[in-house]
Amino acid sequence: MVELAARKHVQFILSKAKEKNSYESVLMEHIRMNGHTGCQHDSGGFGGNIGHDPHILYTLSAVQVLALFNKVDVLDVEKVANYVAGLQNEDGSFSGDMWGEVDTRFSYIAICCLALLHHLDKINVEKAVDYILSCKNHDGGFGCTPGGESHAGQIFCCVGALAITGSLHRIDKDLLGWWLCERQVKSGGLNGRPEKLPDVCYSWWVLSSLIMIDRVHWIDKEKLVKFILDCQDIENGGISDRPDDACDAYHTYFGVAGLSLLEYPGVKPIDPAYALPVDVVNRIILGIKA
Amino acid sequence: MDEEANAGGLLSQFEQILESDPAIDEIGFVHPSQFVNLNEQARHSVPSSSGSVCNVLCSAEGNTMFWNRDHKLGISTEVLIPLYREAKHALMAANRTGIESEIMNHSRAALLISSDFGTAWHSRKIVLLKKHKLSTFLEELIFSVLVLSYAPKCEHAWSHRRWVIKSIAGKCSTLQEIVTKESELVEKIAERSKMNYRAWYHRCWLVSYMTTEQSLHELKRSRKWAGLHVADHSCFHYRRQLMLSILEDRCCKQENVSSSYSVKINQLWKEELDWDEMLIKRYIGREALWLHRRFLSLFWIKHFLTGHTGLPSHWKHKTSMNNDFGIFVDHELNLLQSCSIIPDNNFDDYQAQATYSATYMLWLIKQIPDSSGFEFREKLRTENLKALLNKACSEMSSTWDSLVAYAETSDHYAKES
């Protein structure tokens, strides 16, 4: 089996950070966070870049990045937490911003963000959990809103939010585990929905969910490791969605994160609910110093 | 080419094209090398019925920048970056001055280049709220179709449509018509953008705005499309949402409803089961069809055995119930039998068919309540299913072990919780 080309991947990510004039990086500038303080608005929320409106998505990204570097204290934590808490609706759901689109992804983001800031007390956690449970389908999976089709990305968000709030006992783990383990295809890779091709990013969304509900032994882990390693560009670094496709930062992150969950040697352990290194989560949530 | 010097005119040229041809219904980004082919084709083809000519706008160096024919606009990939930058700066300036026409023009230009530019969508919403005119809201539905023409998965565009519909619901007499048109739009986009989760989510969202008659009509209308796209799981999910909404409507709104309604639902479910079986036999090894069957059977069983679907309570007391249940079970067993034959030449499709039929049976075992499931389990031994699964797809033996073990435990969930 090929090995993880760790050093190449580091170089690949560094080279991506330097590309500021490529077509992708200009048109994606709304999600290229740079200079944190410049991205924060009076509301307490963060925009994706200077001059862009605030959204709960970028607010979590800002908090996560600061958490990684142990710099959360540069924030006016109270203000950020108030912005996030202010997006909760009467039924317990969360809007992404002031324009009101509701999605269980925003529930996860709010809960994860507030947990990292030690401010879960600012929202109605019980209602937030009830809303997530109302998005459960007959197949055990979860969608964006009640009745939305099950999707591995949405499932990660719902299971992650339930894990952080200590509510996993309220779902049928076997039924959900069934749906999740059927995402593994013959090649060993995981897809995100029925009939779709496997994609490295689901090594995160599906795998982390299986771990959180303690059903990871329902899939073949060895074959998944092999699938992820086969998606590497050994020469130039980077990981792609499927073998022999073009690499990008997104799939490189999820490939490495997936290998971490699979306990691949030499990769730091990652927390399946917070999507942050375990030592960072221990430091912030449990107050344990490394 | 000096980008900055040229950029000054780019935005106004682009906005002028959009202004001069309001009927543009499709946008695409074209690599310079492809313009040669486009021009070649344009020269040889007969002018279209509308008599439209091909409008080409070139830079000072003679490179094609915009290409417009039959209301299809091609934009050179070479001008995208300077054009986007210029549009963004112009929009930010307009947001500061608050001049509405400029905000609308520049945000339109920016979004036709970068559909995920959330702030530009928001700028439009602010103007719409200020103007507060039904016609301007409706124009947004046309504009966002143009964005979806080049970015069919754009979340902002779909979410913008929902925001518009929520804003005009209750104030607009043609809401039902709009909902129907939205549904048609999703179908059109789903045709060329396969398994588009965002588009189908939008269609499911529409269900809550539909009357029961509309839901029934949609169910009928989407059947043909589903039959031609059996791998698009989202379409089958949409049908399930329609069926559940019909079921719910009947239960809530007509408390003392005559049994003719109940018979109608019964018939609807039966027809869907038959249709699904027909597709399963015609298109071998399609996961979406088998998953659809899991749903149909789950509700079918619930309705026969426990009445938890909310159907009128007298249904539960039908004397023919057990008999009907027996017929259903035998029918599904026959289906398994016919689908678990793997020809010697070992086609992948047949292996998939056998795998899906076996996991479907495991699903049934799990769903049938213990009291009634005894007979069923007697007829269908899980060890046979396990053998079939391992024969059809030995690669996933660890998964089969887990699923079979789970199906064999009864009331597992009840014990755990």
Side-chain angles (χ1 to χ4, degrees):
Chain A
M1 194 170 2
V2 276
E3 286 185 2
L4 179 69
R7 281 177 59 189
K8 291 277 187 188
H9 297 326
V10 172
Q11 283 165 10
F12 174 78
I13 295 293
L14 290 175
S15 73
K16 284 282 153 193
K18 285 181 194 138
E19 278 175 22
K20 288 213 171 117
N21 284 308
S22 74
Y23 168 60
E24 289 84 2
S25 66
V26 171
L27 296 182
M28 301 289 254
E29 65 159 21
H30 54 277
I31 52 169
R32 279 174 74 99
M33 299 207 65
N34 46 19
H36 268 80
T37 43
C39 297
Q40 193 173 19
H41 289 250
D42 294 338
S43 60
F46 283 79
N49 204 318
I50 295 166
H52 289 261
D53 287 349
H55 194 283
I56 198 168
L57 265 165
Y58 313 117
T59 306
L60 174 65
S61 295
V63 171
Q64 282 176 323
V65 171
L66 291 171
L68 275 171
F69 294 107
N70 199 9
K71 284 272 190 280
V72 175
D73 53 3
V74 305
L75 287 175
D76 182 343
V77 170
E78 188 80 16
K79 201 173 168 184
V80 178
N82 284 338
Y83 170 76
V84 174
L87 291 169
Q88 188 170 33
N89 302 306
E90 195 48 46
D91 61 358
S93 66
F94 282 84
S95 300
D97 61 15
M98 62 176 283
W99 298 105
E101 178 81 3
V102 167
D103 195 306
T104 44
R105 279 178 296 173
F106 307 147
S107 298
Y108 167 77
I109 290 172
I111 286 168
C112 181
C113 192
L114 291 173
L116 290 172
L117 297 175
H118 301 287
H119 268 305
L120 272 177
D121 57 304
K122 283 193 185 285
I123 57 164
N124 187 330
V125 173
E126 199 187 322
K127 271 193 168 184
V129 168
D130 287 343
Y131 181 78
I132 291 170
L133 294 171
S134 76
C135 298
K136 198 185 87 123
N137 290 313
H138 77 279
D139 55 20
F142 293 84
C144 308
T145 52
E149 184 189 352
S150 296
H151 183 295
Q154 302 292 149
I155 291 172
F156 161 78
C157 289
C158 294
V159 173
L162 295 175
I164 292 171
T165 55
S167 318
L168 282 175
H169 59 281
R170 296 186 63 188
I171 55 169
D172 185 341
K173 293 176 186 166
D174 290 314
L175 190 62
L176 174 58
W178 190 330
W179 191 91
L180 288 167
C181 77
E182 285 186 323
R183 298 304 105 235
Q184 190 162 40
V185 301
K186 277 187 179 180
S187 65
L190 298 165
N191 64 18
R193 278 186 284 148
E195 300 272 11
K196 296 275 285 182
L197 291 170
D199 183 321
V200 158
C201 74
Y202 294 106
S203 311
W204 174 263
W205 308 116
V206 174
L207 193 58
S208 59
S209 304
L210 279 168
I211 289 175
M212 286 188 272
I213 62 168
D214 197 22
R215 298 292 180 277
V216 73
H217 54 284
W218 286 21
I219 60 162
D220 189 328
K221 292 198 272 182
E222 260 172 61
K223 288 187 85 172
L224 180 57
V225 170
K226 189 180 174 305
F227 177 80
I228 298 173
L229 293 174
D230 285 345
C231 293
Q232 298 180 101
D233 181 337
I234 300 290
E235 271 170 48
N236 305 306
I239 298 174
S240 57
D241 55 354
R242 279 179 285 285
D244 302 322
D245 278 359
C247 299
D248 56 53
Y250 175 84
H251 289 95
T252 307
Y253 169 75
F254 286 119
V256 173
L259 290 173
S260 164
L261 291 177
L262 293 161
E263 297 168 322
Y264 189 86
V267 182
K268 262 175 90 168
I270 189 164
D271 185 279
Y274 289 93
L276 289 169
V278 168
D279 58 357
V280 173
V281 175
N282 284 345
R283 165 162 50 74
I284 295 175
I285 304 294
L286 305 174
I288 300 169
K289 290 202 176 91
Chain B
M1 179 170 73
D2 185 340
E3 267 188 9
E4 294 303 321
N6 189 46
L10 259 182
L11 178 63
S12 54
Q13 284 173 327
F14 183 41
E15 289 180 348
Q16 213 176 336
I17 291 171
L18 297 173
E19 214 58 52
S20 65
D21 185 2
I24 290 176
D25 58 8
E26 203 176 323
I27 284 200
F29 304 146
V30 183
H31 191 266
S33 62
Q34 290 175 296
F35 280 120
V36 181
N37 287 335
L38 280 175
N39 286 329
E40 199 65 26
Q41 280 169 23
R43 242 197 308 280
H44 292 298
S45 66
V46 189
S48 62
S49 54
S50 60
S52 75
V53 282
C54 178
N55 279 313
V56 181
L57 212 81
C58 297
S59 67
E61 290 76 22
N63 299 323
T64 304
M65 300 191 297
F66 301 103
W67 191 97
N68 182 16
R69 186 168 194 262
D70 293 337
H71 314 297
K72 316 287 172 209
L73 178 66
I75 306 171
S76 166
T77 49
E78 286 210 316
V79 304
L80 288 177
I81 292 178
L83 185 54
Y84 171 74
R85 283 193 173 138
E86 203 192 332
K88 187 190 129 190
H89 290 141
L91 174 62
M92 296 296 183
N95 274 338
R96 280 191 292 274
T97 58
I99 301 170
E100 290 173 1
S101 61
E102 286 187 7
I103 295 174
M104 292 308 268
N105 278 340
H106 300 327
S107 62
R108 175 175 61 180
L111 289 171
L112 290 178
I113 305 291
S114 175
S115 61
D116 290 332
F117 186 6
T119 308
W121 288 107
H122 300 159
S123 303
R124 298 180 76 81
K125 289 190 178 87
I126 293 168
V127 172
L128 289 167
L129 286 179
K130 271 195 212 149
K131 282 195 168 175
H132 209 72
K133 256 173 73 184
L134 184 62
S135 59
T136 355
F137 276 106
L138 295 177
E139 278 166 25
E140 287 305 280
L141 294 181
I142 299 170
F143 166 68
S144 47
V145 171
L146 190 52
V147 174
L148 291 169
S149 77
Y150 82 91
K153 291 182 178 173
C154 176
E155 259 189 83
H156 279 107
W158 288 113
S159 153
H160 194 66
R161 299 184 80 79
R162 287 191 286 276
W163 181 84
V164 167
I165 292 170
K166 278 189 265 180
S167 304
I168 59 172
K171 298 170 205 143
C172 172
S173 57
T174 54
L175 189 70
Q176 294 314 316
E177 216 174 286
I178 291 172
V179 167
T180 305
K181 278 194 184 156
E182 285 296 292
S183 182
E184 285 166 5
L185 173 74
V186 172
E187 192 164 303
K188 208 174 123 202
I189 288 180
E191 183 66 43
R192 55 193 174 79
S193 169
K194 299 288 176 226
M195 305 203 221
N196 182 333
Y197 186 76
R198 288 287 139 208
W200 284 101
Y201 172 72
H202 187 72
R203 205 172 185 184
C204 288
W205 176 82
L206 292 169
V207 175
S208 63
Y209 285 88
M210 288 178 192
T211 60
T212 307
E213 284 65 38
Q214 253 181 318
S215 297
L216 279 166
H217 179 70
E218 281 284 314
L219 195 63
K220 212 171 168 183
R221 217 172 56 84
S222 63
R223 179 184 270 209
K224 193 177 166 213
W225 198 94
L228 292 171
H229 301 79
V230 290
D232 207 325
H233 182 257
S234 298
C235 180
F236 291 92
H237 182 78
Y238 174 60
R239 294 184 67 76
R240 295 196 276 273
Q241 291 316 113
L242 289 169
M243 292 179 82
L244 288 175
S245 117
I246 292 163
L247 196 65
E248 213 169 280
D249 275 14
R250 290 278 153 79
C251 302
C252 319
K253 289 181 188 159
Q254 284 118 356
E255 272 293 309
N256 45 7
V257 74
S258 67
S259 61
S260 71
Y261 267 134
S262 313
V263 170
K264 211 171 166 186
I265 298 175
N266 183 3
Q267 204 181 333
L268 190 108
W269 231 269
K270 187 79 182 73
E271 275 173 19
E272 190 81 357
L273 273 163
D274 290 345
W275 173 69
D276 181 65
E277 181 177 342
M278 182 272 289
L279 292 176
I280 281 176
K281 288 179 173 165
R282 184 183 293 174
Y283 301 99
I284 307 298
R286 299 298 1 155
E287 188 179 13
L289 298 175
W290 285 101
L291 294 185
H292 195 49
R293 195 160 199 84
R294 288 187 193 176
F295 163 83
L296 295 171
S297 300
L298 174 68
F299 279 79
W300 191 244
I301 291 166
K302 269 192 181 173
H303 127 84
F304 273 119
L305 296 170
T306 59
H308 276 171
T309 49
L311 286 169
S313 58
H314 63 266
W315 269 50
K316 285 182 275 182
H317 306 304
K318 268 191 165 180
T319 46
S320 62
M321 189 173 71
N322 285 329
N323 191 22
D324 285 352
F325 179 71
I327 293 171
F328 170 73
V329 164
D330 284 341
H331 187 90
E332 300 308 286
L333 284 169
N334 275 334
L335 180 65
L336 169 71
Q337 206 115 58
S338 67
C339 294
S340 56
I341 304 158
I342 305 170
D344 287 341
N345 42 12
N346 261 349
F347 284 122
D348 277 2
D349 292 346
Y350 284 94
Q351 291 175 346
Q353 182 87 322
T355 307
Y356 296 135
S357 66
T359 51
Y360 167 68
M361 285 298 151
L362 286 177
W363 171 269
L364 279 189
I365 290 174
K366 203 58 211 170
Q367 299 303 339
I368 295 173
D370 278 358
S371 51
S372 326
F374 182 71
E375 189 193 1
F376 183 53
R377 279 190 207 101
E378 282 293 289
K379 286 185 183 172
L380 191 77
R381 301 223 162 263
T382 47
E383 56 259 35
N384 296 342
L385 286 176
K386 195 166 165 178
L388 173 60
L389 284 166
N390 281 322
K391 186 183 158 204
C393 181
S394 59
E395 293 92 337
M396 293 178 61
S397 59
S398 49
T399 299
W400 309 141
D401 288 346
S402 309
L403 285 183
V404 171
Y406 167 53
E408 279 169 349
T409 57
S410 52
D411 285 331
H412 186 82
Y413 177 49
K415 262 178 247 156
E416 197 174 50
S417 60

